[in-house]
């Protein structure tokens, strides 16, 4: 269960960051981070990421495949005991 949760979370975060670069969302997401920039430098970096990033559906598929592949390796490969629970 821990491996499934970890891999799914990793994939969802990656997909969310990729979707944030889509033309329909990137301006509003970048604007949101710009409003947070006065509190943290990380927000400035995130704003630049979303403002200048390019959405690619293949990146979404890669994030999903990567999470699935990581789960399979943790579940069925030679992995720590916690990953097989």
């Amino acid at each position: 269960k821990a491996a499934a949760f970890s891999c799914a979370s990793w994939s969802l975060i990656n997909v969310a960051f990729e979707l944030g670069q889509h033309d329909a969302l990137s301006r509003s997401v970048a604007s949101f981070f710009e409003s947070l920039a006065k509190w943290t430098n990380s927000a400035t970096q995130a704003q630049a990421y979303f403002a200048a990033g390019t959405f690619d559906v293949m990146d979404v598929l890669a994030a999903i495949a990567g999470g699935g592949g990581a789960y399979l390796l943790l579940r069925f490969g030679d992995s720590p005991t916690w990953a097989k629970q």
Side-chain angles (χ1 to χ4, degrees):
K1 292 179 184 178
F5 178 77
S6 297
C7 294
S9 297
W10 179 81
S11 289
L12 288 173
I13 290 168
N14 275 293
V15 168
F17 271 81
E18 188 62 31
L19 290 175
Q21 296 178 70
H22 192 280
D23 288 340
L25 298 172
S26 63
R27 286 187 190 143
S28 58
V29 174
S31 176
F32 169 75
F33 281 105
E34 186 175 20
S35 70
L36 298 178
K38 59 186 169 189
W39 289 295
T40 175
N41 189 45
S42 296
T44 302
Q45 294 169 348
Q47 185 272 337
Y49 174 85
F50 289 110
T54 303
F55 173 80
D56 187 352
V57 72
M58 293 305 288
D59 287 346
V60 173
L61 295 176
I64 294 167
Y71 173 74
L72 291 174
L73 286 172
L74 287 171
R75 182 71 175 96
F76 299 109
D78 186 21
S79 59
T81 305
W82 65 265
K84 298 182 188 272
Q85 296 176 352

